[in-house]
Amino acid sequence: MDIATLRERHPDHWMRSTAIRVLALDAVAAANSGHSGMPMGMADIATVLWSKHLKFDAKAPGWPDRDRFIISNGHGSMLLYALLHLTGYEDMTLDELKNFRQWGAKTAGHPEHEYASGIDTTTGPLGQGLATSVGMAIAEESLRARFGKKVIDHHTYVFAGDGCLMEGVSHEAIALAGHQKLSHLILFFDNNGISIDGEISKTDSTDQPKRFEACGWHVQSIDGHDPEAIDAAIEAAKKSGKPSMIDCKTHIALGSSAQDTGKGHGALTDEKLIKDTREAYGWSHGPFDIPADIKSWWEEVGRRGADERAAWNERLDDLAGGKRKQFDAAMERTLPNKLTSTIRNLKKQISEDQPKDATRKSSENVLKAVNPVVKEMLGGSADLTGSNNTLTPDLGVFSPEDRAGRYIHYGIREHGMAAAMNGMALHGGIRPYGGTFMCFSDYARPAMRLSALMGAPVTYVMTHDSIGLGEDGPTHQPVEHLAMLRATPNMQVIRPCDGVETAEAWEVALRNTDVPTVLVLTRQGLPTLRTKHQSKNLVEQGAYILAEADAKRQAVLIASGSEVSVAMEAKALLEEKGIGARVVSIPSFELFAKADESYRRRVLPAGAVRVGIEAAARLGWDRWLTGERGRDAKAAFVGMDSFGASAPAEVLFEKFGITADNVVAQVENLL
Amino acid sequence: MDIATLRERHPDHWMRSTAIRVLALDAVAAANSGHSGMPMGMADIATVLWSKHLKFDAKAPGWPDRDRFIISNGHGSMLLYALLHLTGYEDMTLDELKNFRQWGAKTAGHPEHEYASGIDTTTGPLGQGLATSVGMAIAEESLRARFGKKVIDHHTYVFAGDGCLMEGVSHEAIALAGHQKLSHLILFFDNNGISIDGEISKTDSTDQPKRFEACGWHVQSIDGHDPEAIDAAIEAAKKSGKPSMIDCKTHIALGSSAQDTGKGHGALTDEKLIKDTREAYGWSHGPFDIPADIKSWWEEVGRRGADERAAWNERLDDLAGGKRKQFDAAMERTLPNKLTSTIRNLKKQISEDQPKDATRKSSENVLKAVNPVVKEMLGGSADLTGSNNTLTPDLGVFSPEDRAGRYIHYGIREHGMAAAMNGMALHGGIRPYGGTFMCFSDYARPAMRLSALMGAPVTYVMTHDSIGLGEDGPTHQPVEHLAMLRATPNMQVIRPCDGVETAEAWEVALRNTDVPTVLVLTRQGLPTLRTKHQSKNLVEQGAYILAEADAKRQAVLIASGSEVSVAMEAKALLEEKGIGARVVSIPSFELFAKADESYRRRVLPAGAVRVGIEAAARLGWDRWLTGERGRDAKAAFVGMDSFGASAPAEVLFEKFGITADNVVAQVENLL
């Protein structure tokens, strides 16, 4: 539908949708940066969706039963900001739009979750919004099963462009959604035929509708500017019983001289272009000037859900038994009091029994104790259930037939799993965890980074954390991954050394609700080192003195995970030689870095030589070895400076020199 | 087709294919580890393919015009090792099979490129083999356009399982192959309905044939055990004019009690199971015992290509003009002599002109000079051509219509691009480079790791390398990525500070043919700092003294990329205060680490305080700051300890304190 037809047939709709378009043009022009074309192309869809379908109340952005709205093509952020402003979200003032992409503004270049209300997730890295939305739709199904349709019954709407659908993660997301028959998930494909390099015909020939059908989706193709077609398609999508993809033929940068071009993707800042476009739109108002009638119509849209929300509040109050309390606890991420004693009892038991479990097995034991207590736990694995030890007997399997199941067989989809977990955590009411081999954190990287950027409390269960994986060889043996994860801001990486530390690590993961946690766990069995029960959570401090020197302290051995027992062996050998050695267990660099400086100096005093031991790259260790300000200590590192190899684990530790004997040699060399 | 029917109708085929099965069973049993099921399920396909279609000569594994054979489901490595042994690859002895998955063996858990001849690529991380094969098929088309069909005319055959097809990268690979109409690419889908967690019905409902059709592939569905059907399908695939997917219904762990189960995926080591399976197979020979008639039949298969290769050698010798020499140079990765002067002249010009270019622009200038000289260069970008500055005028665009084009519009497929580049580099004859935003190295991580593990000389052009990206905000601003890449073994990460260093960086990338290189480049303009021409490549040393202290040396400022100019400004301010400061440019940690220790000590002498400056995470810097053995220096770091933000670049540097003033303050604080 061209502009003339649209203006003639739907004059009111036209001016309302064009309010979005001109705000996008104005904000991008003011910033001299941004993306004008997507908002101009998708404004019609957004106007119909928000005014006729989207369940929301601008005055209550956190309403748990609201529909979720995600622009996976996040560069079109001004579309979202314009909608939030027009419908009356209080923090999205006109000044914020004028400050688009400036320091301190809520209107970042791409939508950043928690910068402003109404931003359901951070998007920008393409495909992430779509994959995250699958998790939101799973969360919705799961919570409906738990609390009932009266309080959980909403939809997740996603906008996505060609870029999102070209990214590989889109396949994982689409296939997972189709398999799980997530019928409350509706995707609008912004089929404008353009990407940054120009016409899509340069890069892609995929028949997207057919592709989605192959993955079990309901599919429609419409004119993405025709309000009646958009409305009808949404109605049909809701009734389809499947995830639904609406293939919307749109014009990027509609009505401008850059329409349908690669240029239209980016920042349209040319004065004449903007002037001409306003004329083509029949929009006579100045920059950032929205006529009162249009603004008030949009504000009415923003209030549309108020009654529904009031009714919902009543239904919530009517929830029987303890359900209301459970609902609030789930949404507020409040943990049951019982968790404290659950963890403490488990630790005590381990200290007494002193098993030689792999920490992945220890993690399973924690989950066996925690999952029945914390009903928000929703676990899964990327097709390594038996290896990641992520399934506990009480959970049941989430499927179209059993939405009450609390375990997801994600398939071989690490990236899709991570993004879906982000969606669950952001949706609220769910504490997701999921497993894969540590080495395949590579596949999940883009979504894991978003967990950290958004502070989404997702727990990654990364097992087979070193050459200790053994025969599968270097493709499966992480070397650089600890450094990669530790370098990521706002990510809590914990590599426990035994069952007790594993229990403490899980407790830290669950109690810290504003960061993701990566649990780095072994394949191979490890001795219990924390043999004296302490109720205090020592992992919380990041590092601590596991064993003090017996003879005069000349060395400090610092190790994490499976190498802590190597340090303990080395200590015994050193003490035999009259060299006193302290062993420091350092399960988490990040937590230790957060501890008081005085505590850190107490744990790692100047003077004694230091040896770090970790079956991984040295990068990142020097801070603790040579001292934070330098000049603290002479130091060495026992770890990996190459990729691993294929052989039994014990052979590999020997061949790569990660042994107590080598630690002793390093100490003697430094003294 | 069940075993009884197969044995009856195709008795010879059965025993030959079963030789693969029993070798897999025997090797896995000997290792007590591995994956028996895939070789048992795909042996029929492999037997038909290798004996009737695959163009190869076991005595000449490096024959450039051989067909490539990739098992993307790399856990089934024993299938490949068995084939190599049976057909007479000299280094794949029976002893190697007996040493499956042991230290030093060529038979690693997953196929490792260069461990043995005949392993065309490393596989194991699922989906990678498939995505790599797309690059091999591109390389074949490209080289055919350059050297003619008489010397380049082969196929790329890929085995892939459900896992490969669930991984997101499969979509990028399939869509790219379909769009590029890579008709010499033939994929066998091991459709056995099983993954580690059990039946695929737990995790996936994708209609794979329909999905491939939607991506432009030719598709057939066959019984993967019927030799006639397999043969006919390969014939039809070759004639299809499209990439072809053969959906092979197979039985994992065929004929064992674990057939068609998740257990069948893994290591079948139970003695009774193995005994019963041999009986079901009608195989009466002992472990690793292959009857002479079967072995000699397979060896004949291994010689099948000898005559063809001899004929090919003649055709190669007949190549007209300088083509034969060019062919050898391309295959041997020999660079033209002219490259030296090309780079030197460019450096001289930059030192004279002293432009204020962004290093991404400097990189474009290098490519403009190098691409016409090095005809093996095949560039591309993941839909950021204008931003990555990767396209030069001479290249032309590679497409189904123009196979001579040397630039690929990869689409928004960072992961697929990286894997395809691996394929091109491994195929030989091509020096691939490709661009994206540095932040989206996240998407490409699994394939980049394989570049490093295989030593594939791929050049990654990663632009927009810090908060200097500006308004696009934290989702697009790398912080932890330098640490991630530097921690990866065998990866050459270079972050040049100006045009001269960029030219040197490209030279290092091209001359080192056994590592991948990541060029880390700015969006924003930078002053030329190397204003005095030196023909010597200083980047090659990793770090060097860019400017010596004028006053008595009290401080050493160490910086990379865009922060070297910050260091130079700080130096000027410090010298004004009478504090002598040396500036060390450190474009590459890895190269500096490889330099002589005496050189390193000369560049970074003990005593003076040190400040590191880099708009990225500190992790990894301490080695250079506090000294490699500790106790060298008091030190501080000026960089990022959080994610970035959305604002103009200069505001961000100011707000995050990456300024000359802050460097001065840090020095004064340390003194």
Side-chain angles (χ1 to χ4, degrees), chain B residues 547-559:
Chain B
E548 192 44 282
D550 300 317
K552 176 169 176 287
R553 185 175 69 228
Q554 296 183 62
V556 178
L557 310 180
I558 317 168

Side-chain angles (χ1 to χ4, degrees), chain A residues 101 110 126 167-168 172 179 195 197 204-205 207 214 383 385 413-414 443 445 449 472 477 480 626, chain B residues 101 110 126 167-168 172 179 195 197 204-205 207 214 383 385 413-414 443 445 449 472 477 480 626:
Chain A
R101 295 183 151 233
H110 293 79
L126 293 174
E167 289 288 0
E172 301 184 22
H179 178 71
S195 72
D197 276 4
D204 197 34
S205 316
D207 180 339
D383 201 50
T385 295
R413 302 185 180 105
E414 301 83 5
Y443 281 86
R445 253 302 287 173
R449 183 174 208 252
D472 273 349
Q477 289 161 358
E480 69 274 36
T626 57
Chain B
R101 294 182 153 234
H110 293 79
L126 293 173
E167 290 288 1
E172 301 184 24
H179 178 69
S195 72
D197 276 6
D204 197 34
S205 315
D207 180 339
D383 201 50
T385 294
R413 302 185 180 108
E414 300 83 6
Y443 281 87
R445 253 304 285 173
R449 182 175 210 257
D472 273 349
Q477 290 161 357
E480 70 273 36
T626 57

Side-chain angles (χ1 to χ4, degrees), chain B residues 166-337:
Chain B
M166 280 198 240
E167 290 288 1
V169 71
S170 69
H171 177 61
E172 301 184 24
I174 294 166
L176 181 59
H179 178 69
Q180 288 286 357
K181 297 195 172 61
L182 301 173
S183 59
H184 284 210
L185 177 63
I186 298 175
L187 180 149
F188 299 84
F189 168 33
D190 186 22
N191 185 2
N192 58 35
I194 290 295
S195 72
I196 293 178
D197 276 6
E199 297 81 37
I200 290 295
S201 58
K202 277 188 189 174
T203 51
D204 197 34
S205 315
T206 304
D207 180 339
Q208 297 289 5
K210 187 170 178 176
R211 175 193 174 206
F212 275 77
E213 278 174 6
C215 294
W217 285 55
H218 171 254
V219 173
Q220 306 169 75
S221 287
I222 63 166
D223 177 340
H225 298 290
D226 178 348
E228 286 170 5
I230 297 163
D231 186 31
I234 298 172
E235 283 296 346
K238 283 179 175 173
K239 289 178 191 145
S240 71
K242 296 179 178 182
S244 188
M245 186 272 243
I246 307 173
D247 169 23
C248 306
K249 189 77 204 82
T250 59
H251 295 286
I252 198 168
L254 179 78
S256 74
S257 58
Q259 178 179 317
D260 303 329
T261 68
K263 184 190 168 193
H265 171 92
L268 301 179
T269 54
D270 179 77
E271 273 184 45
K272 181 168 181 317
L273 180 149
I274 294 173
K275 188 169 159 285
D276 291 349
T277 306
R278 297 176 104 89
E279 262 170 40
Y281 286 171
W283 188 270
S284 53
H285 318 285
F288 295 108
D289 181 8
I290 306 294
D293 61 326
I294 294 178
K295 181 74 169 79
S296 83
W297 181 85
W298 272 111
E299 284 173 3
E300 192 56 43
V301 168
R303 281 190 294 269
R304 210 169 38 80
D307 291 347
E308 206 167 344
R309 189 170 67 84
W312 177 86
N313 268 324
E314 285 177 21
R315 293 197 302 275
L316 185 68
D317 288 337
D318 287 347
L319 274 187
K323 282 281 171 191
R324 168 62 198 264
K325 233 172 131 179
Q326 287 174 30
F327 186 89
D328 289 345
M331 290 301 159
E332 286 157 18
R333 293 174 184 154
T334 310
L335 292 167
N337 293 332

Side-chain angles (χ1 to χ4, degrees), chain B residues 536-613:
Chain B
K536 188 175 176 193
N537 187 321
L538 301 184
V539 164
E540 216 161 34
Q541 306 166 101
Y544 61 93
I545 302 163
L546 177 67
E548 192 44 282
D550 300 317
K552 176 169 176 287
R553 185 175 69 228
Q554 296 183 62
V556 178
L557 310 180
I558 317 168
S560 84
S562 47
E563 285 67 68
V564 179
S565 53
V566 176
M568 290 297 283
E569 284 173 52
K571 171 194 162 62
L573 296 172
L574 287 165
E575 301 278 0
E576 276 174 29
K577 292 170 183 249
I579 301 170
R582 168 186 289 187
V583 173
V584 170
S585 175
I586 184 163
S588 173
F589 282 22
E590 299 77 34
L591 292 170
F592 191 50
K594 274 186 209 163
D596 283 349
E597 194 182 342
S598 60
Y599 174 74
R600 295 203 304 266
R601 298 225 148 237
R602 210 154 65 236
V603 174
L604 298 179
V609 303
R610 296 182 192 168
V611 178
I613 317 161

